[in-house]
Amino acid sequence: MIQSPASRRTSAIRIALTGANGGYGRTLLDQLRRLPDMTAAQLIDPDVDGVVRMLHDLGVGDDDLVRATSVTETAAAVEAGKVAVVSDGAHLSWEHADVLVEATGRIEAGYAYADTALDSGTHVVMVSKEIESVAGVALSAKARERGLRYLPGDGDQPANLIRLVEWVLAVGFDIVALGKSGEYDLVFDPESGTVDQNGVQIEAPALGGLLDLGADTAATLAARADAVSGLKRAAAADSCEMNVVSLYTGAVADREAMHYPVARPDELADVYAELADGGILASTGVVDVFSMLRLPGEASFAGGVFAIVRTGDDVTWATLRGKGHVVSRNGRYACIFWPYHFMGIETPMTVAAAVDGTATTPAPRQHTVLAARATGDLDAGTAFRVEGHHHEISGVSPVIVAPDAGEIAPYYLLSGARLRRDVAAGALVTLDDLDDVPAAALAAYRAGLTLGR
């Protein structure tokens, strides 16, 4: 049996996990059972009963957990080797947390957890991309000032793509585009002429004649998009993740709402070529998302990540094409990709890097901002709420734009805010348009802007 090397740590890394009862939390907790050098010491979630049920499902007995209702109880539980389950940060013992994994996805609560962790000498692994998009620059700077680590969590697309970019740049490539596949594949059944997107089916028989890219890439992509126009393919989560990647890499959006081509993985090097080479890009060094088109039974891209690079020697790339690598038809571009993101299963790598100080992740800067563009006329008094699995806000669409002097309102700062005046359809929501903006997160965003781009 192949076994992992024995841990060299004298004591296990103690992890505090917020948003513990979410899907991400469960994948991390399941994986931690396999790692003797890490322990889920404190689990924080308003739904304590739900966390306890999940722990039972994962094989944790009542004798090994404590429902703690004070810092003292939490500390005692951790010292006894038990899992402390608490309802909020007031009962969290920072003295007994080496790393915070922040996974609430909620701006006010998540920012407060991360900021307090750094004040308490605790490293932060950020899974909540919503918080990262608003306050990541400031939190990263604060961590560096304190000799701590603040890192995006492996297993979610931003960290995976940042890691892929590091590899691509380390071997000397020029990056044309980078991105990921969308949340859900488009699975086309040629026999029925239907497309299934995560259980939602529509009739799309035209796709039967569009499975090959054809000589005119733009025309094929337009026809595919028309064939699946009945499906909502873009998600706020996608835009937020690509904005986070922009903070760490400097890449921008070729279009503020991104292209979202309907494409197959072996086409990506042709699709994400410059316009002059028959592709869709008006500029390079950009982030984007594609909707994966596949047939039943074909492997998924699984929300994986990709980088499009310029090639070099024709013979070299003919050799690599022969080995199955994705090279454009004209030989000028190649696609390097990792077709996976395993959520919390991968996050222990980031936890270890935070404690060991081995991460090479660059410091983020506010290269772009995830903004909110009104999808219709919005009246004064309109209240905004983040809702649903994809954390979207009714009445506005997420767009990736260049930051201004601080007037553009970041998309997730709208959470809980209210319009103080009318906003016309198509306009970006500004900070001056809003009342009741989360004050601490707003201050962090403004502090991040002052760090430069």
Side-chain angles (χ1 to χ4, degrees), residues 5 63 86 91 106 185 243 246 264 270 294 314 335 365 370 375 447:
D63 291 342
V86 303
H91 307 143
R106 295 186 293 123
D185 293 350
N243 170 240
S246 170
R264 296 165 72 86
D270 287 292
R294 66 178 175 90
D314 290 344
C335 177
R365 290 289 183 268
L370 182 69
T375 55

Side-chain angles (χ1 to χ4, degrees), residues 374-414:
T375 55
D377 290 336
L378 300 174
D379 296 331
T382 297
F384 297 107
R385 293 179 56 193
V386 177
E387 298 177 302
H389 174 70
H390 297 302
H391 290 193
E392 300 194 321
I393 301 173
S394 179
V396 293
S397 60
V399 292
I400 300 173
V401 300
D404 58 9
E407 293 307 307
I408 296 174
Y411 184 83
Y412 284 108
L413 274 184
L414 271 63

Side-chain angles (χ1 to χ4, degrees), residues 100-189:
L100 169 72
V101 177
E102 203 322 287
T104 66
R106 295 186 293 123
I107 282 292
E108 289 186 271
Y111 173 74
Y113 282 128
D115 192 52
T116 304
L118 295 175
D119 282 339
S120 305
T122 300
H123 304 293
V124 174
V125 171
M126 182 55 69
V127 173
S128 298
K129 52 188 171 285
E130 300 85 357
I131 297 156
E132 183 95 80
S133 71
V134 173
V137 175
L139 288 169
S140 176
K142 184 171 186 174
R144 293 193 302 277
E145 290 171 0
R146 285 160 171 72
L148 297 168
R149 260 74 67 188
Y150 171 91
L151 301 170
D154 280 307
D156 220 0
Q157 290 100 327
N160 287 16
L161 186 49
I162 292 163
R163 195 153 43 86
L164 175 59
V165 167
E166 290 176 2
W167 183 93
V168 169
L169 293 177
V171 298
F173 284 117
D174 174 26
I175 295 178
V176 175
L178 49 102
K180 62 162 212 160
S181 67
E183 286 290 302
Y184 306 113
D185 293 350
L186 303 175
V187 184
F188 174 65
D189 183 351

Side-chain angles (χ1 to χ4, degrees), residues 191-278:
E191 293 187 7
S192 65
T194 61
V195 165
D196 185 290
Q197 181 182 252
N198 193 39
V200 177
Q201 288 193 352
I202 64 167
E203 300 289 330
L207 284 180
L210 299 169
L211 294 177
D212 294 323
L213 196 55
D216 189 335
T217 297
T220 300
L221 295 178
R224 287 176 179 173
D226 184 64
V228 298
S229 60
L231 294 171
K232 182 182 183 300
R233 297 186 288 116
D238 293 337
S239 295
C240 186
E241 287 168 349
M242 292 302 97
N243 170 240
V244 170
V245 171
S246 170
L247 302 185
Y248 285 90
T249 65
V252 298
D254 192 46
R255 288 183 182 175
E256 65 174 26
M258 297 187 290
H259 287 280
Y260 278 96
V262 177
R264 296 165 72 86
D266 63 345
E267 301 169 346
L268 293 179
D270 287 292
V271 170
Y272 287 109
E274 294 185 79
L275 289 170
D277 286 321

